[in-house]
Amino acid sequence: MNVADLNIIYILDLVGTFTFAVSGALAAAEKRFDLFGALFVGFVTAVGGGTTRDIILGLTPVFWIEDINYLLVIVTAVLFVFLFIRKAFEFPRLLLFFDAIGIGVFTLIGIEKSRAVSILPVFAILMGVLTAVMGGILRDVFSRKVPLIFKREIYATACLIGGIVFFALLFFRLDKTIIYIITMLLIISIRLVSIRFGWQLPTLTTQKEGKG
Amino acid sequence: MNVADLNIIYILDLVGTFTFAVSGALAAAEKRFDLFGALFVGFVTAVGGGTTRDIILGLTPVFWIEDINYLLVIVTAVLFVFLFIRKAFEFPRLLLFFDAIGIGVFTLIGIEKSRAVSILPVFAILMGVLTAVMGGILRDVFSRKVPLIFKREIYATACLIGGIVFFALLFFRLDKTIIYIITMLLIISIRLVSIRFGWQLPTLTTQKEGKG
Amino acid sequence: MNVADLNIIYILDLVGTFTFAVSGALAAAEKRFDLFGALFVGFVTAVGGGTTRDIILGLTPVFWIEDINYLLVIVTAVLFVFLFIRKAFEFPRLLLFFDAIGIGVFTLIGIEKSRAVSILPVFAILMGVLTAVMGGILRDVFSRKVPLIFKREIYATACLIGGIVFFALLFFRLDKTIIYIITMLLIISIRLVSIRFGWQLPTLTTQKEGKG
């Protein structure tokens, strides 16, 4: 059974796509881009991760060419930001919550698509993380924002832990649906808890930190 | 009959390639890049759109690997800017005119190459727009310019309208050559007229606009 | 015989990968990225050139999916910078030396992989240069550094000359191993000598240079 065939996974995938497109459109709004700029950045944010994954693995034409729903969801999301931009800013917590769902399901789909081309588990996990984080990284490149994902909170780390647990559970031959649910809930939980408590990764620095 | 086989399309394609390479070399000059930097940015600007399209559709090796004329035209364009840089700046209107031809023919070629891999018309139009605009977007990323295409004038919109009209005419079973000519002239006209009258897309903004 | 089968080439490839990853991690440290940011930029710097080449040529899944050693070398390099960051800065000359080895071997591998898909020599040379320089260019894009490679010294030019000499020697039917050694030593020498004497490419500029 294909991971994308599971209805709940597919719906969560579209929810994640919508949220990522909103986050891209908001970045475009911050930079005062026009409607085309917002559509471009929204699209890149929403499908940039999966597209990079498909290209690296040679799974072309890429996934969103086969299914028009991704495009429809993204255009809807950008127009939503365009029409109700103050609304979108009124619910930052809601955005973070859906964003967490997004990285959870994107990691899972990235892993399953990679397993289908039979690569080593470590690369499947890497592709899962890439699927989840590359959209946000490309958003920051094209909208010339400081790449927050490299600075802020536990983000890629949540996906990485989820990926490792996925293969651990697979090793113990658990039911596929159970594995999917645990993996996604784990990523979402780590992400949300890390935001709540302000967890961060250590930072490299070239300067001596004078005072503690 | 392949779209690239039509001699006039092929010549216009090379004209567009030349103009885009000039625009890339000028961006490099503004940032005081060296000759290699100018060649790199000129190359990316000229073939970045078609390369992105080919990679997303899985049409690899990409188009410019098969035909040395693209490389020759780009190197000539960059050396031209290098030797006669003041000249290139003396004709901004001429540059805009050839740039309009460029996006017209790039959109058309993007659509026809996409139709060959039998995807939905909406994605063929999307690939047409991408072919026309991605080179300029990548130019701005690599030369660290503010991405003007997201802020300024009717640009991608002209390509989008051209793409929609292309499929409308196809539906009415008009002659291929006629469709090609109408599509290109339409894109070029919309672009030039929008420059003349300063047409713009609406802009998203996060701040309240205090005063009209 | 495949170029990557030669043990010495393979070892030098990993040496280059290590050095490029160090250079990416140092760029991340300068921008105060966290550990994930350092791993991302280190990875992109180390394999960005070869990945771009593989994608353009259609050689997917890309090379580092097949061989875990690249990933191991990169993670080691980034952790090394993370733990001994002052050390890494104490040997700037050593870094430049290994970096020169890197571009020498990367150019050679890029040329040989391109020859395997039977493209024109001029494109094989182009792909060789791309393999050597694209990692550094992407490092500067993702870490938002000024793209030094477009401004500074003889870098891509060394790879270009090496590539031309490679095909000249091939024309004279010299032994493959001899050609490999000459090509790499030539690139490394040009690069190091150009640093020593501060050689530069001419720069394009839009402003009149008032005073000599």
Side-chain angles (χ1 to χ4, degrees):
Chain A
M1 183 177 208
N2 193 304
V3 65
D5 293 342
L6 287 168
N7 274 329
I8 180 66
I9 302 278
Y10 184 60
I11 289 165
L12 291 177
D13 188 13
L14 294 182
V15 169
T17 303
F18 186 92
T19 319
F20 273 49
V22 167
S23 123
L26 287 175
E30 241 176 76
K31 297 283 178 170
R32 304 180 66 91
F33 287 177
D34 66 15
L35 181 56
F36 169 72
L39 283 166
F40 182 88
V41 179
F43 193 81
V44 165
T45 309
V47 303
T51 304
T52 308
R53 172 203 64 216
D54 283 358
I55 289 172
I56 285 174
L57 295 177
L59 301 173
T60 49
V62 301
F63 71 100
W64 47 267
I65 295 272
E66 323 263 289
D67 181 353
I68 196 150
N69 286 341
Y70 293 102
L71 182 61
L72 293 178
V73 162
I74 292 166
V75 171
T76 308
V78 174
L79 291 179
F80 166 80
V81 171
F82 208 80
L83 295 173
F84 307 106
I85 186 152
R86 280 178 200 82
K87 287 265 178 300
F89 275 107
E90 271 166 29
F91 307 102
R93 290 193 172 200
L94 205 64
L95 258 180
L96 283 174
F97 178 70
F98 283 119
D99 184 79
I101 294 179
I103 63 168
V105 69
F106 284 7
T107 304
L108 182 64
I109 293 175
I111 289 173
E112 278 298 55
K113 285 218 175 178
S114 303
R115 288 181 67 224
V117 293
S118 55
I119 56 179
L120 285 176
V122 63
F123 290 116
I125 295 173
L126 198 66
M127 288 295 121
V129 176
L130 188 84
T131 306
V133 304
M134 197 67 192
I137 293 173
L138 291 175
R139 175 196 62 215
D140 295 344
V141 166
F142 285 111
S143 66
R144 297 171 63 83
K145 287 179 65 173
V146 179
L148 279 181
I149 191 179
F150 295 153
K151 293 210 167 184
R152 235 178 0 173
E153 301 130 350
I154 302 296
Y155 196 91
T157 312
C159 307
L160 179 66
I161 295 172
I164 293 169
V165 168
F166 175 94
F167 277 97
L169 299 178
L170 206 67
F171 181 79
F172 290 113
R173 297 172 184 281
L174 262 74
D175 178 76
K176 231 8 171 351
T177 314
I178 308 268
I179 298 182
Y180 288 169
I181 293 168
I182 293 179
T183 303
M184 280 194 297
L185 285 184
L186 184 66
I187 296 173
I188 296 168
S189 309
I190 296 176
R191 173 72 185 132
L192 292 179
V193 169
S194 82
I195 294 173
R196 175 69 189 77
F197 291 102
W199 291 347
Q200 298 198 340
L201 282 183
T203 303
L204 281 80
T205 176
T206 54
Q207 275 128 26
K208 287 185 198 169
E209 307 290 321
K211 296 129 197 169
Chain B
M1 182 179 208
N2 192 302
V3 65
D5 293 342
L6 287 168
N7 274 329
I8 180 67
I9 302 278
Y10 183 61
I11 290 165
L12 291 177
D13 188 14
L14 293 181
V15 168
T17 303
F18 186 92
T19 318
F20 273 49
V22 166
S23 124
L26 287 175
E30 241 175 75
K31 296 284 177 170
R32 305 181 66 91
F33 288 177
D34 66 15
L35 181 54
F36 169 72
L39 283 166
F40 181 87
V41 179
F43 193 82
V44 165
T45 309
V47 303
T51 304
T52 307
R53 173 203 62 217
D54 284 359
I55 289 171
I56 284 174
L57 295 177
L59 301 173
T60 49
V62 301
F63 71 99
W64 47 265
I65 295 272
E66 321 263 286
D67 182 351
I68 196 150
N69 286 342
Y70 293 101
L71 183 61
L72 293 178
V73 162
I74 292 165
V75 171
T76 307
V78 174
L79 292 179
F80 166 80
V81 171
F82 206 81
L83 295 173
F84 308 105
I85 186 154
R86 278 176 202 83
K87 286 266 179 297
F89 274 107
E90 272 166 30
F91 306 103
R93 288 188 176 206
L94 206 64
L95 258 180
L96 282 175
F97 179 71
F98 283 120
D99 184 79
I101 294 179
I103 62 168
V105 69
F106 285 6
T107 304
L108 183 63
I109 294 174
I111 290 174
E112 278 298 57
K113 286 219 174 176
S114 303
R115 287 180 68 224
V117 293
S118 55
I119 56 178
L120 286 176
V122 63
F123 290 117
I125 295 173
L126 197 68
M127 287 295 121
V129 177
L130 188 84
T131 306
V133 305
M134 197 67 193
I137 293 173
L138 292 175
R139 174 197 61 215
D140 296 344
V141 166
F142 285 112
S143 65
R144 298 173 61 86
K145 287 179 64 173
V146 180
L148 280 181
I149 191 178
F150 295 153
K151 295 212 168 185
R152 236 177 1 171
E153 300 130 352
I154 302 295
Y155 195 92
T157 313
C159 306
L160 178 66
I161 296 171
I164 293 168
V165 168
F166 175 93
F167 277 96
L169 298 177
L170 205 66
F171 179 77
F172 290 113
R173 295 175 183 280
L174 263 74
D175 179 77
K176 234 4 173 352
T177 314
I178 308 267
I179 297 181
Y180 288 171
I181 292 169
I182 294 179
T183 303
M184 280 193 297
L185 285 184
L186 184 67
I187 295 172
I188 296 168
S189 308
I190 296 175
R191 173 74 184 130
L192 292 178
V193 169
S194 82
I195 294 174
R196 175 69 186 76
F197 292 102
W199 291 347
Q200 298 198 342
L201 283 185
T203 303
L204 282 79
T205 176
T206 54
Q207 276 128 26
K208 287 185 197 168
E209 307 291 322
K211 298 125 198 170
Chain C
M1 182 179 210
N2 192 306
V3 63
D5 293 342
L6 287 168
N7 275 329
I8 179 68
I9 302 278
Y10 184 61
I11 289 164
L12 291 177
D13 188 14
L14 294 181
V15 168
T17 303
F18 186 92
T19 319
F20 273 49
V22 166
S23 123
L26 287 175
E30 241 176 75
K31 297 283 176 171
R32 306 182 64 90
F33 288 176
D34 65 16
L35 181 55
F36 169 71
L39 283 165
F40 182 87
V41 179
F43 194 81
V44 165
T45 309
V47 303
T51 304
T52 308
R53 173 204 62 218
D54 283 359
I55 289 171
I56 285 174
L57 295 177
L59 302 172
T60 47
V62 302
F63 71 100
W64 47 266
I65 294 272
E66 322 263 289
D67 180 352
I68 196 151
N69 285 341
Y70 293 100
L71 183 62
L72 293 177
V73 162
I74 292 165
V75 172
T76 308
V78 174
L79 292 179
F80 166 80
V81 170
F82 207 81
L83 296 173
F84 308 106
I85 187 154
R86 280 179 199 82
K87 286 266 179 297
F89 275 107
E90 271 166 31
F91 306 103
R93 290 190 173 202
L94 204 63
L95 257 181
L96 282 174
F97 178 70
F98 282 120
D99 183 79
I101 294 179
I103 64 169
V105 69
F106 283 6
T107 305
L108 183 63
I109 293 174
I111 290 173
E112 279 298 57
K113 286 217 174 177
S114 303
R115 288 180 68 225
V117 293
S118 54
I119 57 179
L120 286 176
V122 62
F123 290 116
I125 295 173
L126 199 66
M127 287 295 120
V129 176
L130 189 84
T131 307
V133 305
M134 198 66 194
I137 293 172
L138 291 176
R139 174 197 61 214
D140 295 344
V141 166
F142 285 112
S143 65
R144 297 172 62 86
K145 287 180 63 172
V146 180
L148 280 181
I149 190 178
F150 294 153
K151 294 212 168 182
R152 231 176 8 171
E153 299 131 352
I154 302 296
Y155 195 91
T157 312
C159 307
L160 179 65
I161 296 172
I164 293 168
V165 167
F166 175 93
F167 277 97
L169 297 178
L170 205 66
F171 180 78
F172 290 113
R173 295 172 184 281
L174 262 75
D175 179 78
K176 228 21 172 338
T177 314
I178 308 269
I179 298 181
Y180 287 170
I181 293 168
I182 294 180
T183 302
M184 280 193 298
L185 284 183
L186 185 66
I187 295 172
I188 296 168
S189 308
I190 295 175
R191 172 74 185 130
L192 292 178
V193 169
S194 81
I195 294 173
R196 175 70 187 75
F197 291 102
W199 291 347
Q200 299 199 342
L201 282 184
T203 304
L204 281 81
T205 176
T206 54
Q207 276 128 25
K208 287 185 197 167
E209 308 290 323
K211 296 126 198 170

